[in-house]
């Protein structure tokens, strides 16, 4: 399936989200392009990557506060710490360029603020799925785009993302929850599918410029298809249908 | 001033809070005692210190999420990181004893859970005052009580608390806020006074056993008086009357 790439977000009008053109007939003929070729300028990359980690941290710390017991809380604090360390490491890279992190994030943040509102869950389980699914896709995305940064910065950025992942910590919490509340599985699967559209849109807004031709679209599509394939594996691991 | 030590918490009936006796006539005759003499068993100390840092982290991360702009958010993430590091360092000490942190915190956590509910602010500024005032008093408190732990553990615990403080980060945020919203000062001063009772009560519940005689009370009082003097300096630094 993988039609999420083409799907508009589920919540009304949006600002800053790139407009998607209909699937081009010649998609199959285009050459696959690495996302790195569409990497934005270093400043935009760092600002958006830092802001996304801040949003992920906020989500995980809300997951900590709402956790049903201290064992779950304790494990989720580890996940929150990993996101916070990544955020601070990327902020250090912004500072290194001479910019002020808050100003940089503000300048490149409209799509991310929309994304945060659009993906907020109403329950602990929904919020945990949001943390897991959105950070999974977006970390994958920023690591791929990092290939277009200057070499030394690329190396440091890859090291930041390689330094720790909370994926196992969060997915284990969710797997246990779904095992205990099997009647919630269908709802959470739907919520997971609902998140992908908004997550892919915020990722696209973090590229150098929105694709402007059907040919551009066709060249990028396989990369997003790979991000979504990884997402599908994450959902499968939870026992949820993507 | 300094009657907070004797004041009952502001919110209705409480569980687990030690009963306070009226001020003894012979208070002035008693020798000052160091809080260390009332240190609880290592397991109780570590469980309660870890849980308190978790509560402080939860408060600070809620402050991050509710911050009015990215500059404030960014500075508060530093404060949250410091509390989270302390929490994880204390949890590592619990693990080292062979105990499971979540179980230990659960066993010693009733008064802390009450404290968290009782001190929750309704606005960003109230919540920020809660983070600042309660962590200021409780970090002071646990450092003093650490004197009663076995030497090697005491040394490590002191190092954990010495490793970083978010006090300056949070107070600076508050000072700026109060400068910009001077009409809020009186309300926040009242909120700050309101917090002290509940904070001192949770500290007392973390001692080896509630003081059982008027003489015990009199011996402990000067130590709490010092904690409250430090609190008063913190309030003064914000331009608030303690």
């Amino acid at each position: 399936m993988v039609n999420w790439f083409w799907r508009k977000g589920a919540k009304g009008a949006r600002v800053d989200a790139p407009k998607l053109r209909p699937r081009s007939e010649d998609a199959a003929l285009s050459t696959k392009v690495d996302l790195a070729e569409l990497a934005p300028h270093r400043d935009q990359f760092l600002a958006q990557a830092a802001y996304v980690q801040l949003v992920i941290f906020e989500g995980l710390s809300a997951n900590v506060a709402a956790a049903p017991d201290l064992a779950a809380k304790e494990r989720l604090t580890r996940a929150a710490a990993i996101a916070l360390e990544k955020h601070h490491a990327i902020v250090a890279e912004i500072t290194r360029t001479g910019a002020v992190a808050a100003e940089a994030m503000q300048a490149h943040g409209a799509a991310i603020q929309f994304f945060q509102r659009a993906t907020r869950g109403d329950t602990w389980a929904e919020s945990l799925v949001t943390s897991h699914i959105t950070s999974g896709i977006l970390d994958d995305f920023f690591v791929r785009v990092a290939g277009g940064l200057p070499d030394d910065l690329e190396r440091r950025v890859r090291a930041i993302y390689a330094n720790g992942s909370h994926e196992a910590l969060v997915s284990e919490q969710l797997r246990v929850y779904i095992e205990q509340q099997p009647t919630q599985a269908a709802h959470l699967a739907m919520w997971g599918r609902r998140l992908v559209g908004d997550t892919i849109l915020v990722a696209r807004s973090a590229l150098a410029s929105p694709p402007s031709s059907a040919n551009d679209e066709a060249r990028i599509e396989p990369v997003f298809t790979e991000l979504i394939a990884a997402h599908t594996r994450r959902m499968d691991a939870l026992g949820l249908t993507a």
Side-chain angles (χ1 to χ4, degrees), chain A:
Chain A
M1 44 133 300
V2 190
N3 255 340
W4 300 107
F5 178 53
W6 303 100
R7 180 172 160 260
K8 292 285 179 59
K11 285 194 187 172
R14 59 186 61 237
V15 184
D16 263 13
K19 293 287 177 290
L20 304 182
R21 289 162 171 266
R23 186 186 292 265
S24 148
E25 286 299 297
D26 58 357
L29 301 174
S30 307
T31 319
K32 177 178 159 185
V33 65
D34 195 276
L35 273 183
E37 291 177 32
L38 294 159
H41 183 267
R42 172 197 75 177
D43 295 349
Q44 182 186 339
F45 177 93
L46 292 174
Q48 292 184 312
Y51 204 161
V52 161
Q53 284 304 320
L54 177 59
V55 166
I56 291 168
F57 165 71
E58 286 188 21
L60 286 167
S61 61
N63 298 153
V64 170
D69 58 60
L70 279 163
K73 235 183 234 289
E74 195 46 40
R75 281 192 290 268
L76 289 170
T77 62
R78 304 287 166 176
I82 290 170
L84 193 51
E85 274 168 33
K86 279 187 201 166
H87 169 68
H88 285 149
I90 303 168
V91 163
E93 291 295 337
I94 297 176
T95 307
R96 192 176 173 135
T97 68
V100 175
E103 291 169 12
M105 291 192 290
Q106 190 61 48
H108 296 287
I112 297 170
Q113 283 164 1
F114 177 86
F115 162 76
Q116 184 175 30
R117 286 195 302 277
T119 58
R120 191 166 282 152
D122 282 334
T123 63
W124 183 69
E126 280 186 10
S127 305
L128 205 53
V129 170
T130 296
S131 294
H132 182 51
I133 292 306
T134 64
S135 68
I137 295 173
L138 291 171
D139 279 10
D140 266 12
F141 170 80
F142 281 107
V143 168
R144 281 163 185 266
V145 176
L149 296 171
D151 281 354
D152 56 335
L153 179 59
E154 177 191 349
R155 204 170 43 247
R156 293 197 304 273
V157 166
R158 285 189 190 280
I160 292 169
Y161 283 93
N163 196 29
S165 166
H166 45 68
E167 186 159 333
L169 283 158
V170 178
S171 68
E172 175 61 15
Q173 292 288 297
L174 270 172
R175 209 188 46 70
V176 169
Y177 175 87
I178 293 165
E179 259 180 29
Q180 288 169 349
Q181 317 272 339
T183 59
Q184 290 293 305
H187 174 75
L188 293 176
M190 189 180 67
W191 176 248
R193 290 194 290 274
R194 152 86 181 67
L195 293 169
V196 181
D198 287 304
T199 309
I200 293 293
L201 282 168
V202 81
R204 290 178 63 99
S205 78
L207 293 176
S209 58
S212 58
S213 71
N215 194 48
D216 278 358
E217 289 286 351
R219 288 169 72 222
I220 305 170
E221 194 196 353
V223 182
F224 280 93
T225 302
E226 284 176 26
L227 292 178
I228 290 168
H231 158 72
T232 303
R233 287 192 293 275
R234 255 174 242 120
M235 295 282 278
D236 283 349
L238 299 176
L240 300 178
T241 313

